[in-house]
Amino acid sequence: MDNLLLLLIFIYVALMILVGYVAYKRTVTSEDYLVAGRETNSYIMALSYGATFISTAAIVGFGGLAGTNGMGILWLVCLNIAVGIFLAFVVFGKKTRKMGQYLDALTFPEFLSKRFNSRFIQYFSGALIFCAMPIYAASVLIGAARFLETTINVDFTICIIVLAIIIGFYVIFGGLKGVMYTDALQGTIMFVGMLILLVSIYWMLGGVTEAHQALTQMAPLFPEASKATGATGWTTFPAMGSPFWWNLVSSIILGVGVGAIAQPQLAVRFMTVKSNKELNRAVLVGGIFIFVTTFTAYIVGTLSNVYFFQTSGQIAIQAAGGNVDKIIPTFINSSMPKWFTYVFMLTLLSAAMSTISTQFHVQGSSIAYDVYGGLKDSKKHNLSINRIGILIAIIIAVILAYLLPGNIVAQGTSIFFGICAAAFLPVYICALFWKRTTKEGAIAGIISGTLISLFCLIFTHQKEAAGLGIAKALTGSSVLFTSMPWPYVDPMVIALPLAFVFTVVVSLLTHNTKDEEKEIDQMFKYDDTKGDVD
């Protein structure tokens, strides 16, 4: 490990500790710890949101998938910006902020719970987040650790532990302020690193036109196994309705693109700003950030095939030893000068730490505030309990990072996004926009979305069902339905619309009480007439 790398790591870690300490000193109340005091400015909020959204799962995991799936994955960039930024901030964000303020909600489960006057929703949602998020957190940890392992030859086990300790420090003590302050710093590093990488790969391959033409001409080299399932090349979309198409469209593009709206760790960001003006200002910063980081990851992942073929006669997946999660790290270490490899290492560390810190914070608050705190029925939030919850979340993620198989980064992310979309999106939309939604309807929507998602993961979706082996043990077949397209349809595509149906139908069959109707009217009136709270 040379002196330049040691210096960069020292400066980086020192900055993280310093920012975390500043946040710790400014964290006094539960509102500070859970929603950053509701006074975050637009720049910090936008970068925190973006850096939380874009993790090593996006850069290493989905960048690697771009290397095996091709440029069709760029549609995910469109959804990330259109849904994850513009729709989220302008349509969902403003109502979430004002309604969250009216309800005095400090977490996403509490927001839903108070909106529908149901403690059960808070308990169930908190438990679901705590149980489902570890696979996502572990996936992000793995992505960062694999790059460190490849770049500086540090043992994978040591990388996982060191990352967990550093992140744990400022999350446990600084709360959401610590998370958001460090996110803003890490987001700035990510933006600069990814922008340099985007320019570099086109320069390296002779320009935009030359790079894309070279990739198009490589279509005959696309793996035969992928062609057999519908792939047509790196610059063309797969055959519609084929297994390859269903995996790309339903699991990768729709699963992650739509699922972003209902991410608890992202939704709570809207409750950290003091006015709609801050959200409006954040749209431009967030949109540019998401575009540069995701577009770069997917372009680099795809075009790495050209680089590897020109330098070694292999395509990307071959050069990476068959591990999708190693495509981006292998490309960086093979093609870029040492100084940029170190800069990109900090970029990936920033991407990982910004996302994981939020995941740990949300998991800790879910189990400590929403489940334990709710059961204790205490009006006073104990920060020590929340910190213990975060510590438990960290330990679980570290254990899973050792147990999960290779090629898991993108898949683990898709699973969590899909479960959140099915469980929370119907109820979240109805909470903000449909007064008629009842407590019973909301409960039906959350439970049905969760159970249908889990059923599909275990019994119908080939990728997970075959790995788990439960369906095969019970029925003799890896999936219940073998005819096309069912083994390749992502669980979210099935669970999300059904959860909407359950939410709406049960709401129409039940009624809010007079007191609940009056409270809901006041809630929506406040939402419509208060405007910005400056």
Side-chain angles (χ1 to χ4, degrees):
M1 193 179 295
D2 62 31
N3 293 333
L4 174 60
L5 178 58
L6 285 172
L7 177 63
L8 288 173
I9 292 175
F10 175 79
I11 293 173
Y12 181 80
V13 173
L15 285 173
M16 293 303 105
I17 293 174
L18 175 62
V19 172
Y21 178 75
V22 170
Y24 168 70
K25 297 298 289 184
R26 295 180 180 180
T27 298
V28 179
T29 67
S30 296
E31 195 169 57
D32 291 332
Y33 198 87
L34 296 173
V35 288
R38 301 189 196 273
E39 294 182 348
T40 307
N41 69 50
S42 58
Y43 180 80
I44 291 178
M45 185 272 178
L47 282 186
S48 177
Y49 183 98
T52 298
F53 193 172
I54 306 304
S55 65
T56 48
I59 299 172
V60 173
F62 286 89
L65 277 182
T68 58
N69 283 263
M71 290 191 175
I73 200 173
L74 288 176
W75 282 104
L76 180 55
V77 178
C78 298
L79 277 184
N80 285 156
I81 296 172
V83 176
I85 295 294
F86 292 105
L87 185 64
F89 280 46
V90 176
V91 178
F92 286 79
K94 292 178 180 179
K95 280 188 170 291
T96 302
R97 183 194 69 78
K98 288 189 281 188
M99 193 175 287
Q101 186 180 65
Y102 176 86
L103 296 170
D104 193 27
L106 299 180
T107 66
F108 185 68
E110 186 179 42
F111 174 85
L112 296 178
S113 170
K114 288 187 173 182
R115 165 61 179 89
F116 294 109
N117 191 29
S118 168
R119 280 294 186 89
F120 173 81
I121 289 179
Q122 186 169 1
Y123 303 148
F124 186 88
S125 299
L128 175 61
I129 292 168
F130 185 79
C131 293
M133 190 172 277
I135 190 172
Y136 181 23
S139 298
V140 178
L141 263 178
I142 290 170
R146 287 299 180 200
F147 187 82
L148 290 173
E149 179 187 40
T150 305
T151 304
I152 57 178
N153 296 318
V154 176
D155 184 72
F156 177 77
T157 300
I158 296 174
C159 292
I160 291 290
I161 293 174
V162 171
L163 282 172
I165 290 173
I166 295 173
I167 297 167
F169 170 79
Y170 64 80
V171 179
I172 289 174
F173 293 104
L176 194 56
K177 279 191 175 182
V179 170
M180 296 187 74
Y181 289 1
T182 52
D183 280 355
L185 175 59
Q186 290 160 339
T188 303
I189 295 172
M190 289 170 61
F191 183 84
V192 173
M194 296 303 282
L195 194 58
I196 294 173
L197 181 60
L198 180 62
V199 173
S200 297
I201 192 166
Y202 280 122
W203 177 82
M204 191 185 306
L205 298 178
V208 176
T209 302
E210 290 77 9
H212 286 254
Q213 285 180 343
L215 187 63
T216 300
Q217 293 168 0
M218 287 178 59
L221 299 175
F222 213 91
E224 291 300 324
S226 297
K227 288 182 181 178
T229 60
T232 58
W234 283 285
T235 58
T236 54
F237 218 62
M240 182 174 289
S242 64
F244 201 95
W245 183 91
W246 274 106
N247 180 64
L248 175 63
V249 174
S250 69
S251 294
I252 299 174
I253 297 176
L254 289 179
V256 177
V258 174
I261 283 284
Q263 292 294 293
Q265 71 274 23
L266 298 180
V268 77
R269 291 295 188 277
F270 303 136
M271 295 190 281
T272 65
V273 294
K274 63 181 180 179
S275 72
N276 286 344
K277 292 178 183 178
E278 300 295 337
L279 286 175
N280 290 335
R281 293 170 185 148
V283 169
L284 180 61
V285 176
I288 294 174
F289 177 87
I290 294 294
F291 173 77
V292 169
T293 50
T294 57
F295 182 80
T296 298
Y298 306 157
I299 284 292
V300 170
T302 308
L303 291 179
S304 67
N305 286 283
V306 178
Y307 170 81
F308 286 122
F309 184 69
Q310 291 178 350
T311 56
S312 65
Q314 298 177 305
I315 61 174
I317 190 63
Q318 294 169 338
N323 190 337
V324 172
D325 297 340
K326 289 188 175 183
I327 288 178
I328 295 294
T330 303
F331 169 76
I332 297 297
N333 284 282
S334 301
S335 65
M336 304 300 289
K338 182 176 288 187
W339 69 266
F340 181 78
T341 301
Y342 296 158
V343 170
F344 194 75
M345 182 191 72
L346 295 185
T347 300
L348 277 189
L349 280 177
S350 297
M353 293 171 70
S354 58
T355 299
I356 298 170
S357 61
T358 299
Q359 292 168 335
F360 289 162
H361 182 269
V362 170
Q363 282 180 265
S365 61
S366 293
I367 196 66
Y369 183 80
D370 294 311
V371 178
Y372 176 82
L375 292 173
K376 295 289 286 185
D377 195 25
S378 173
K379 297 292 184 182
K380 183 178 180 181
H381 175 224
N382 189 326
L383 294 183
S384 297
I385 297 298
N386 213 106
R387 286 167 175 148
I388 292 172
I390 292 172
L391 180 60
I392 294 171
I394 292 172
I395 293 171
I396 294 173
V398 169
I399 293 172
L400 280 178
Y402 293 132
L403 298 178
L404 290 174
N407 300 320
I408 192 62
V409 175
Q411 186 180 358
T413 303
S414 296
I415 290 172
F416 180 74
F417 272 58
I419 291 175
C420 280
F424 297 132
L425 186 55
V427 177
Y428 185 31
I429 290 176
C430 290
L432 297 177
F433 303 106
W434 191 32
K435 295 181 183 181
R436 179 66 178 78
T437 315
T438 64
K439 172 171 60 180
E440 293 79 8
I443 292 173
I446 292 175
I447 292 178
S448 63
T450 302
L451 294 182
I452 295 170
S453 291
L454 293 176
F455 178 85
C456 292
L457 286 169
I458 296 170
F459 292 107
T460 69
H461 196 232
Q462 177 75 31
K463 190 172 288 187
E464 292 80 25
L468 291 171
I470 297 175
K472 189 171 183 63
L474 295 177
T475 68
S477 175
S478 59
V479 290
L480 290 183
F481 311 112
T482 56
S483 58
M484 280 293 296
W486 299 113
Y488 306 97
V489 177
D490 191 79
M492 189 207 74
V493 176
I494 300 170
L496 179 58
L498 288 177
F500 259 116
V501 170
F502 274 98
T503 304
V504 173
V505 170
V506 173
S507 291
L508 293 175
L509 294 175
T510 55
H511 298 278
N512 291 310
T513 66
K514 293 293 184 182
D515 288 340
E516 287 173 338
E517 288 179 356
K518 183 178 179 181
E519 177 66 17
I520 292 169
D521 284 338
Q522 291 178 343
M523 191 186 307
F524 274 75
K525 183 179 179 181
Y526 174 90
D527 185 39
D528 290 335
T529 62
K530 281 289 183 181
D532 291 347
V533 180
D534 296 316

